[in-house]
Amino acid sequence: MATTTPEAVPEPDAEAVPLKGGSVTQRAIESIKAMITDGKLAPGQRLPTERDLAVRLGISRSSMREAIRALTVLGVLESRHGSGIYVTNLEAGDLLDTFGMVAEISPQHRLVEFLEVRRILESTATALAAARITEPQLAQVAVHLDTMREADDPEEFLAADMAFHRTITQAAGNEALAAIVEGLSSRTFRARVRRGHQEADAFARAREEHTRIYQALVSRDPEAARVAAASHVGAVEDWLRGQLEE
């Protein structure tokens, strides 16, 4: 059976993406981003060769290589062995991976700030979910809640906890919002907070808090869902503030 080779996107006009200001590599990054924004490079399309791009933008191949590498790390581009460099599907979750990494590795005093952001966004996502969640999604939330109620192992509890919130944020119907909340709720980030928070009987309180969130979803009450979610994240936030003050 004959195979077809993906066609490269038409070579961009150098005048359409002029390099202005900043380092050469940064200008190259901005130029590639402009090609994507302007529709000259679409999701899934292959870039012109590194050499051709460098010539058209009037920069060295090494600078172009660095620009491509940086955009690959950010999830904008991907390298396919033997085929070339392609624009990714530009999914919000992939593009926001680095955001989650920042939350994971930040020093202790920054965790409070990230928790504050999570409280604002997750309460909004939960309110949206109360109005949009489907019956199958609601059933999934119930399963995760039951697992938390029965779990004695912290790892099992944490896994169910994360699945509970992930199902809710996905039910909100906003991919970008769900990706940001996921980044703020990563396993490493939440484990760092939970490690000490569980000492104060946090599991029992968390079960009660999750039950209130679930009940608000069942009632299709966005405001009650917002308040319950904000209270849940706020409890961890308040605890961590106290720890830092001590």
Side-chain angles (χ1 to χ4, degrees), residues 25 28-29 50 61-72:
T25 299
I29 290 172
E50 179 184 287
R61 290 185 65 177
S62 61
S63 293
M64 178 54 64
R65 190 175 302 118
E66 287 299 318
I68 291 174
R69 183 178 296 119
L71 289 171
T72 299

Side-chain angles (χ1 to χ4, degrees), residues 99-107 111 114 183 186-189 192:
F99 178 79
M101 177 65 72
V102 172
E104 288 186 9
I105 66 176
S106 291
L111 292 183
F114 283 113
S186 69
R187 189 173 188 84
T188 301
F189 173 62
R192 290 174 65 190

Side-chain angles (χ1 to χ4, degrees), residues 37-100:
T37 302
D38 295 341
K40 294 177 180 177
L41 290 171
Q45 286 189 302
R46 190 177 69 198
L47 270 68
T49 66
E50 179 184 287
R51 183 183 68 81
D52 287 346
L53 277 174
V55 169
R56 278 168 164 65
L57 297 178
I59 64 175
S60 68
R61 290 185 65 177
S62 61
S63 293
M64 178 54 64
R65 190 175 302 118
E66 287 299 318
I68 291 174
R69 183 178 296 119
L71 289 171
T72 299
V73 171
L74 292 173
V76 177
L77 303 177
E78 64 177 339
S79 176
R80 299 181 187 176
H81 183 68
S83 180
I85 305 297
Y86 290 77
V87 179
T88 66
N89 290 328
L90 302 179
E91 298 290 343
D94 295 331
L95 298 177
L96 290 167
D97 270 350
T98 52
F99 178 79

Side-chain angles (χ1 to χ4, degrees), residues 8 17 20 39 44 49 55 71 78 102 116 122 174 195 206 225 243:
V17 284
K20 299 179 181 179
T49 66
V55 169
L71 289 171
E78 64 177 339
V102 172
E116 188 173 52
E122 188 161 322
N174 186 310
R195 185 177 297 126
Q243 292 296 302

Side-chain angles (χ1 to χ4, degrees), residues 81-221:
H81 183 68
S83 180
I85 305 297
Y86 290 77
V87 179
T88 66
N89 290 328
L90 302 179
E91 298 290 343
D94 295 331
L95 298 177
L96 290 167
D97 270 350
T98 52
F99 178 79
M101 177 65 72
V102 172
E104 288 186 9
I105 66 176
S106 291
Q108 187 80 356
H109 68 278
R110 291 292 182 195
L111 292 183
V112 173
E113 295 180 1
F114 283 113
L115 277 169
E116 188 173 52
V117 174
R118 181 188 158 206
R119 171 168 51 82
I120 295 168
L121 296 182
E122 188 161 322
S123 60
T124 298
T126 306
L128 288 172
R132 301 173 178 176
I133 195 166
T134 65
E135 289 301 324
Q137 288 171 325
L138 193 57
Q140 288 180 353
V141 173
V143 169
H144 300 317
L145 179 59
D146 286 342
T147 300
M148 278 186 282
R149 286 169 173 164
E150 298 172 1
D152 294 321
D153 177 68
E155 286 296 314
E156 183 182 1
F157 183 94
L158 182 59
D161 185 346
M162 293 186 66
F164 177 94
H165 291 287
R166 184 179 298 114
T167 302
I168 292 173
T169 54
Q170 290 173 347
N174 186 310
E175 183 182 349
L177 178 59
I180 295 173
V181 174
E182 177 72 14
L184 290 170
S185 306
S186 69
R187 189 173 188 84
T188 301
F189 173 62
R190 295 185 65 179
R192 290 174 65 190
V193 176
R194 291 287 188 185
R195 185 177 297 126
H197 189 50
Q198 66 188 40
E199 296 176 2
D201 198 24
F203 281 0
R205 291 202 308 274
R207 290 185 181 97
E208 295 175 2
E209 293 161 1
H210 285 85
T211 298
R212 284 195 290 272
I213 293 172
Y214 174 70
Q215 290 172 340
L217 294 175
V218 171
S219 300
R220 308 285 180 174
D221 188 334

